[in-house]
C-alpha cells in the first residue's frame, strides 16, 4: 500500500497471542500495565492467567472505587485490600458491590483501618463462596457489642460460604470473647492458619469473674485458653500455623497448647511474649518437633538454653527469629548452624553476638550445615570485619539477603568481601555503618591517609606558634580526627580500568540501604549505584552527596519504586529536574529536611511521577502549603503525604 506521499508501507502481520504473552513475561508488573494500553490484543495478553497469580488490588474506600470493583468483575479471580471503610452509605455501597460483582471470584479480603458495622459485613460474607483468606485485624466495631453472628440463620449462611476458608486473621481485637470467637470459628471448619496476635487472651486467671480460666463456660467478656484449646482440638487435622505474638501467654499455657494431641504445627509466632522462659521453649520443641518456622523474637527472658533446645529438637527448621533476645550470646550458635534445613536466621539486636560461633558452625561439610539465604545481624555491634569476611566466603553460593545495619565496626574491608563473594545478593543493608567510605564501594584500597600538613615522614619534633596544653610540640592526631583520603579523578580512572570487585558486582540487587554512611560522596555513588533491577534505595543522611548522585541514580536505576533522600542538604531542584523524567515507577519518595527543595520540585513530580503513593517533605522550609494542596489534587494514587513544618515554620513555637 502507499501513503499520501507515494511511499510504500508494509503492513506488519499480527503477532500470535502466545508470542505477546511470552514478551510480556519479561516485563515488570508496572510495565505490563503500560503495555496493556497499546491495543485490545495486548490488553488480552496482559490478562493471561500466568500474570494473575497472587495479584492483590489495594485501594481506600471512595465513590470512585465502585467502577474499579465493577471492572474487576471481569477477572476469573481476585484479592482485595480495602482501607478506611466506615458505616456511611459509600462504604455500604462498596461492600454491596463487592458481593454482587466479585462474590464467587474473591479469594482474599482484608479491611485494614476500617470501622464497619456488623450488618454490612454479614450482608457480604454469605456471597463470598470462594474466599480463602479473611483479615479482620483491628475491626473492634464488629465485636464491641458481642452480638456478632448471634442469630442461627446468620451462622448457617456464613458457614455455607466460608467452609473453604483457610486463613483467618483476628489480630489486635480488643473485644474478642469466647462467644464471638466460637461463633466465627464455627463457620470456618478447615482453618490452616489462625492469627490472634495482640488479642486479650486470659491464660491463667479470669479478672472479670475472679476465678481460674475454665471454671466458667464461654465468657462474653474475654477469650480464654480453654476455648483456644478447644478450637485446636477440633481443627487439629488442618491447622498448621498459629500466631500468638504480643500476648501474655505463660510457660504452662504454651505447654497446654503444644501438647494438644495430634496437633502438628509447622509455623508458630510468639513475638513479644515476654513471660516465656527457656523451659517453655524446651517443652515446645519436645511436643512440636515438626516446626519449620519459629519466631521467638523479643522474648527477653530467653537465654542460650533455648538456642540449644531448638538446635537439638527442630531438625526441619527453615526460619528462626531470635531478634531482640538480649540474653542470647555466642554459645550454642555453632550447633544451631548445623541444622542443614535452616534458610533464614534473624539475630538483630542480639548485642552479645560477634559472629565467631556462626562461622564455626558453617565451617563443616556443606551437607551438614545451614544453607542460609537470609541473615540479619542488625545492631550486633561486636560484629567486625574478620567475621564478615569469613561469612561471605562460607555463604557465597546461597546468601540472598544480608542486613548489617548499625554494625558500627564494619569497614571497607567488609564491603569489598561482600562485593567479591556474595554475587547473588538481592538485599543489602549497610545503614549507619559510619566507617564505610568511597574506597570500599569502589573496591579500592586506600593506600595513604589524609595528612593535613602533607608530611611524608617523621621529621622530628616541631614547635608550634602557640603554647597550648602546656607543651611546645604538636600533639598527636586523635582517632576521631582521621579522615579518609578524598577520591580524586585519577583514582576514578584507575577504578574504571581495574578488574577488582566493587559494589557494582552485585548486579542482582533489588534493595540497597546506605543511609547514614556519612563518609560517602558523589565519587562512589555515581560510579557504583548502577543496578537496573534496584527497587528500593536509601541514601538518607549522606551530607556529602549532591544533585550529581541523584541524577546518576535515576539514569541507571530506572526500576526504583522507593527512594529515600532525607537530610541530604546537597539535593536541590536541579537534581529533581534531572532525575524525575527517569523515575516513572517511583511510588515512595522521602525528602524531609532537604532545604534546597522548593515548589518547583513538586511541579516536576506531578509532571513525571504520577504513580507516587507516599511523599515526605517535612521540614522543607521552601515549600508552600498551596503547592502541596495542588499536588494532592493532581496525583491520583497519593495516599500519604507528610508535610509538617514546611514553609519556614518556626520550630521553637511548635513545641
Amino acid at each position: 500500500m502507499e501513503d499520501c506521499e507515494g511511499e510504500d508501507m508494509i503492513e506488519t502481520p499480527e503477532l500470535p497471542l502466545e508470542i505477546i504473552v511470552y514478551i510480556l513475561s519479561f516485563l515488570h508488573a508496572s510495565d505490563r500495565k503500560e503495555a496493556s494500553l497499546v491495543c485490545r490484543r495486548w490488553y488480552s495478553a496482559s490478562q493471561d492467567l500466568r500474570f494473575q497469580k497472587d495479584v492483590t488490588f489495594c485501594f481506600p474506600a471512595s465513590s470512585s472505587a465502585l467502577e474499579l470493583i465493577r471492572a474487576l468483575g471481569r477477572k476469573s479471580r481476585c484479592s482485595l485490600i480495602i482501607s478506611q471503610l466506615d458505616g456511611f452509605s459509600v462504604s455500604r455501597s462498596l461492600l454491596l458491590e463487592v458481593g454482587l460483582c466479585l462474590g464467587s471470584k474473591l479469594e482474599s479480603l482484608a479491611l485494614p483501618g476500617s470501622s464497619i458495622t456488623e450488618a454490612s459485613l454479614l450482608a457480604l460474607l454469605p456471597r463470598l463462596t470462594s474466599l480463602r483468606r479473611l483479615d479482620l485485624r483491628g475491626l473492634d466495631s464488629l465485636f464491641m457489642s458481642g452480638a456478632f453472628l448471634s442469630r442461627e440463620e446468620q451462622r448457617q449462611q456464613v458457614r455455607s460460604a466460608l467452609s473453604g476458608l483457610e486463613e483467618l486473621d483476628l489480630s489486635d481485637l480488643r473485644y474478642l470473647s469466647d462467644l464471638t470467637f466460637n461463633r466465627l470459628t464455627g463457620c470456618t471448619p478447615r482453618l490452616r492458619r489462625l492469627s490472634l496476635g495482640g488479642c486479650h487472651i486470659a491464660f491463667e486467671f479470669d479478672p472479670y469473674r475472679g476465678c481460674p480460666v475454665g471454671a466458667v463456660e464461654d465468657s462474653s467478656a474475654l477469650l480464654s485458653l480453654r476455648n483456644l484449646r478447644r478450637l485446636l482440638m477440633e481443627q487439629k487435622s488442618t491447622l498448621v500455623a498459629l500466631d500468638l505474638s504480643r500476648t501474655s501467654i505463660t510457660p504452662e499455657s504454651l505447654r497446654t497448647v503444644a501438647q494438644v494431641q495430634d496437633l502438628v504445627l509447622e509455623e508458630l509466632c510468639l513475638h513479644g511474649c515476654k513471660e516465656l522462659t527457656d523451659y517453655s521453649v524446651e517443652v515446645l520443641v519436645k511436643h512440636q518437633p515438626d516446626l519449620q518456622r519459629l519466631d521467638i523474637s523479643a522474648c527477653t527472658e530467653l537465654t542460650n538454653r533455648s538456642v540449644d533446645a531448638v538446635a537439638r529438637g527442630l531438625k526441619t527448621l527453615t526460619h528462626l527469629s531470635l531478634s531482640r533476645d538480649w540474653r542470647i550470646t555466642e554459645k550454642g550458635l555453632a550447633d544451631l548452624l548445623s541444622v542443614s534445613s535452616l534458610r533464614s536466621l534473624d539475630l538483630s539486636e542480639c548485642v552479645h553476638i560477634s559472629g565467631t560461633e556462626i562461622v564455626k558452625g558453617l565451617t563443616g561439610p556443606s551437607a551438614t550445615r545451614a544453607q542460609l539465604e537470609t541473615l540479619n545481624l542488625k545492631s550486633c555491634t561486636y560484629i567486625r570485619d574478620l567475621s564478615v569476611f569469613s561469612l561471605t566466603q562460607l555463604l557465597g553460593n546461597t546468601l540472598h539477603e544480608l542486613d548489617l545495619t548499625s554494625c558500627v565496626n564494619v569497614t571497607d574491608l567488609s564491603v569489598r568481601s561482600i562485593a567479591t563473594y556474595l554475587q547473588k545478593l538481592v538485599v543489602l543493608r549497610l545503614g549507619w555503618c559510619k566507617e564505610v567510605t568511597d574506597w570500599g564501594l569502589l573496591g579500592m584500597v586506600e593506600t595513604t591517609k589524609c595528612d593535613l600538613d602533607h608530611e611524608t615522614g617523621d621529621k622530628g619534633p616541631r614547635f608550634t606558634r602557640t603554647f597550648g596544653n602546656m607543651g611546645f610540640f604538636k600533639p598527636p592526631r586523635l582517632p576521631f580526627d582521621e579522615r579518609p583520603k578524598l577520591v580524586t579523578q585519577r583514582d576514578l580512572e584507575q577504578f574504571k580500568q581495574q578488574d577488582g570487585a566493587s559494589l557494582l558486582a552485585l548486579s542482582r540487587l533489588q534493595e540497597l540501604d546506605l543511609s547514614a554512611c556519612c563518609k560517602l560522596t558523589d565519587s562512589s555513588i555515581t560510579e557504583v549505584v548502577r543496578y537496573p533491577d534496584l527497587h528500593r534505595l536509601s541514601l538518607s543522611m549522606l551530607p556529602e552527596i549532591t544533585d550529581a548522585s541523584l541524577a546518576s541514580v535515576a539514569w541507571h536505576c530506572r526500576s526504583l519504586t522507593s527512594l529515600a533522600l532525607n537530610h541530604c542538604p546537597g539535593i536541590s531542584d536541579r537534581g529533581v529536574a534531572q532525575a524525575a523524567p527517569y523515575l516513572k515507577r517511583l511510588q515512595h519518595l522521602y525528602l524531609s529536611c532537604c532545604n534546597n527543595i522548593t515548589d518547583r520540585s513538586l511541579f516536576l513530580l506531578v509532571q513525571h511521577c504520577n504513580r507516587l503513593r507516599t511523599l515526605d517533605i517535612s521540614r522543607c522550609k521552601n515549600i508552600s502549603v498551596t503547592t502541596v494542596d495542588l499536588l494532592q489534587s493532581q496525583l491520583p494514587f497519593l495516599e500519604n503525604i507528610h508535610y509538617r513544618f514546611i514553609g519556614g515554620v518556626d520550630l521553637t513555637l511548635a513545641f
Side-chain angles (χ1 to χ4, degrees):
M1 58 183 298
E2 296 184 356
D3 64 3
C4 57
E5 297 179 359
E7 296 180 358
D8 291 338
M9 295 183 64
I10 302 174
E11 266 192 26
T12 308
E14 277 195 349
L15 288 173
L17 197 63
E18 295 78 7
I19 300 297
I20 301 176
V21 170
Y22 179 73
I23 294 172
L24 295 181
S25 66
F26 292 96
L27 299 182
H28 187 272
S30 59
D31 290 333
R32 281 202 303 272
K33 178 183 175 182
E34 296 295 330
S36 69
L37 302 177
V38 171
C39 63
R40 189 182 299 274
R41 192 167 181 79
W42 281 64
Y43 175 79
S44 300
S46 70
Q47 300 303 303
D48 189 87
L49 287 179
R50 75 179 68 183
F51 303 137
Q52 303 304 313
K53 295 178 181 178
D54 303 321
V55 176
T56 300
F57 296 88
C58 178
F59 52 89
S62 65
S63 55
S64 59
L66 290 170
E67 287 300 320
L68 171 61
I69 291 172
R70 295 187 186 108
L72 293 177
R74 294 192 291 268
K75 293 185 175 293
S76 58
R77 54 185 177 179
C78 185
S79 296
L80 295 182
I81 299 177
I82 309 176
S83 59
Q84 303 173 23
L85 287 164
D86 52 34
F88 292 98
S89 58
V90 171
S91 295
R92 292 198 302 270
S93 301
L94 200 61
L95 291 177
L96 181 62
E97 203 69 27
V98 169
L100 292 173
C101 299
L102 303 174
S104 60
K105 303 174 183 179
L106 196 63
E107 294 186 337
S108 175
L109 177 64
L111 307 171
S114 298
S115 180
I116 61 175
T117 62
E118 300 169 21
S120 298
L121 188 62
L122 290 176
L124 172 64
L125 289 180
R127 298 176 180 271
L128 307 182
T129 54
S130 299
L131 202 64
R132 295 293 176 264
R133 184 178 186 276
L134 179 60
D135 186 345
L136 300 178
R137 278 180 295 174
L139 287 178
D140 285 327
S141 58
L142 290 176
F143 301 92
M144 190 177 299
S145 67
F148 184 63
L149 287 173
S150 58
R151 296 166 54 187
E152 179 60 31
E153 59 269 24
Q154 293 174 337
R155 292 197 293 273
Q156 289 180 354
Q157 292 175 350
V158 174
R159 187 181 301 116
S160 62
L162 301 186
S163 58
L165 193 73
E166 297 179 352
E167 299 183 37
L168 180 61
D169 194 337
L170 301 175
S171 302
D172 300 310
L173 291 176
R174 182 180 302 178
Y175 303 107
L176 190 63
S177 67
D178 284 344
L179 287 175
T180 52
F181 182 75
N182 289 346
R183 294 170 190 159
L184 181 55
T185 55
C187 300
T188 57
R190 296 185 180 86
L191 284 180
R192 290 181 55 81
R193 299 173 179 273
L194 175 64
S195 178
L196 296 170
C199 290
H200 294 263
I201 305 176
F203 289 100
E204 302 291 344
F205 184 77
D206 187 339
Y208 294 99
R209 298 185 182 273
C211 61
V213 171
V216 179
E217 293 291 325
D218 291 347
S219 170
S220 60
L222 50 80
L223 179 61
S224 65
L225 173 64
R226 175 193 55 78
N227 216 38
L228 175 59
R229 185 175 182 274
R230 177 198 58 77
L231 174 73
L232 297 178
M233 293 179 66
E234 289 178 356
Q235 305 204 20
K236 59 188 177 184
S237 62
T238 59
L239 197 66
V240 296
L242 182 62
D243 184 355
L244 295 173
S245 58
R246 296 175 288 114
T247 62
S248 57
I249 189 170
T250 63
E252 289 300 319
S253 302
L254 182 59
R255 183 176 69 173
T256 301
V257 170
Q259 288 180 336
V260 171
Q261 190 174 4
D262 297 328
L263 177 66
V264 181
L265 290 178
E266 297 177 2
E267 300 180 23
L268 180 61
C269 183
L270 298 169
H271 167 77
C273 296
K274 299 184 182 296
E275 296 188 32
L276 294 184
T277 63
D278 294 326
Y279 165 75
S280 56
V281 175
E282 291 169 344
V283 171
L284 171 66
V285 167
K286 178 181 178 181
H287 293 282
Q288 296 293 333
D290 295 318
L291 279 172
Q292 297 177 16
R293 293 174 176 259
L294 178 61
D295 185 348
I296 46 176
S297 58
C299 299
T300 52
E301 296 299 315
L302 301 186
T303 68
N304 293 97
R305 275 180 56 192
S306 296
V307 178
D308 291 335
V310 170
R312 290 194 309 269
L314 301 181
K315 295 303 182 182
T316 59
L317 190 68
T318 60
H319 294 72
L320 175 64
S321 178
L322 300 170
S323 174
R324 295 170 59 193
D325 292 345
W326 300 314
R327 298 190 179 194
I328 290 177
T329 63
E330 289 278 297
K331 183 180 177 183
L333 289 181
D335 293 333
L336 180 63
L337 270 299
S338 66
V339 179
S340 59
S341 59
L342 193 62
R343 295 293 179 267
S344 175
L345 179 60
D346 186 351
L347 293 170
S348 58
E349 299 185 52
C350 294
V351 294
H352 301 293
I353 302 299
S354 65
T356 305
E357 288 296 304
I358 301 177
V359 173
K360 181 179 177 182
L362 291 172
T363 51
S366 59
T368 60
R369 61 180 172 87
Q371 304 293 316
L372 288 181
E373 298 174 359
T374 300
L375 179 60
N376 191 338
L377 297 172
K378 176 183 177 182
S379 297
C380 295
T381 53
Y382 287 159
I383 294 289
R384 297 182 182 275
D385 288 334
L386 180 59
S387 297
V388 176
F389 182 70
S390 302
L391 287 171
T392 55
Q393 291 182 322
L394 293 166
L395 297 172
N397 294 326
T398 60
L399 200 65
H400 294 158
E401 180 175 337
L402 178 62
D403 192 337
L404 294 175
T405 303
S406 295
C407 292
V408 294
N409 291 309
V410 164
T411 70
D412 291 339
L413 177 60
S414 293
V415 178
R416 290 199 296 271
S417 64
I418 289 170
T420 302
Y421 298 107
L422 300 181
Q423 306 266 321
K424 295 183 179 180
L425 267 189
V426 176
V427 176
L428 176 61
R429 302 187 183 102
L430 294 172
W432 294 90
C433 294
K434 296 187 177 183
E435 296 303 314
V436 172
T437 70
D438 291 332
W439 297 97
L441 267 63
L442 292 169
M444 302 171 67
V445 179
E446 182 182 357
T447 56
T448 58
K449 294 291 183 180
C450 182
D451 193 335
L452 299 181
D453 296 308
H454 305 286
E455 295 180 0
T456 58
D458 184 8
K459 298 181 180 179
R462 199 179 78 180
F463 289 98
T464 62
R465 293 179 180 272
T466 63
F467 299 92
N469 298 323
M470 299 295 293
F472 296 95
F473 304 106
K474 183 179 179 180
R477 182 170 292 129
L478 298 176
F480 54 78
D481 287 332
E482 295 288 344
R483 297 186 62 190
K485 177 191 169 192
L486 297 179
V487 178
T488 65
Q489 187 63 36
R490 181 179 177 183
D491 295 324
L492 289 179
E493 293 300 325
Q494 179 185 349
F495 159 70
K496 293 176 182 178
Q497 296 173 5
Q498 69 174 4
D499 296 327
S502 70
L503 214 62
L504 192 60
L506 306 180
S507 57
R508 302 184 185 183
L509 273 188
Q510 295 182 14
E511 178 178 343
L512 177 62
D513 184 358
L514 296 173
S515 55
C517 297
C518 52
K519 295 180 180 179
L520 297 181
T521 70
D522 291 337
S523 299
S524 60
I525 301 299
T526 55
E527 297 293 337
V528 170
V529 184
R530 299 182 175 189
Y531 308 110
D533 295 323
L534 194 68
H535 294 162
R536 293 174 293 279
L537 175 64
S538 177
L539 300 176
S540 297
M541 291 175 281
L542 301 188
E544 301 297 327
I545 67 171
T546 66
D547 293 331
S549 289
L550 177 55
S552 175
V553 164
W555 175 260
H556 294 102
C557 308
R558 303 194 187 191
S559 296
L560 278 177
T561 60
S562 176
L563 177 60
L565 295 167
N566 300 321
H567 295 269
C568 292
I571 301 299
S572 69
D573 291 338
R574 180 182 177 185
V576 175
Q578 293 173 327
Y582 305 108
L583 297 176
K584 300 294 187 181
R585 297 176 181 172
L586 197 64
Q587 297 179 17
H588 309 281
L589 179 61
Y590 305 91
L591 294 169
S592 66
C593 299
C594 294
N595 286 328
N596 289 321
I597 296 294
T598 70
D599 290 343
R600 182 187 172 212
S601 291
L602 298 193
F603 291 123
L604 290 166
L605 294 177
V606 169
Q607 182 180 355
H608 298 288
C609 304
N610 55 11
R611 295 182 186 176
L612 269 184
R613 295 173 56 188
T614 304
L615 178 63
D616 186 356
I617 48 173
S618 304
R619 299 173 184 260
C620 292
K621 62 182 182 181
N622 294 313
I623 291 179
S624 65
V625 176
T626 305
T627 309
V628 172
D629 292 337
L630 176 64
L631 180 83
Q632 290 178 297
S633 65
Q634 295 293 319
L635 293 178
F637 300 107
L638 192 63
E639 297 176 0
N640 302 302
I641 180 166
H642 307 279
Y643 57 98
R644 296 183 63 198
F645 308 127
I646 63 171
V649 174
D650 186 356
L651 299 183
T652 61
L653 302 177
F655 299 99

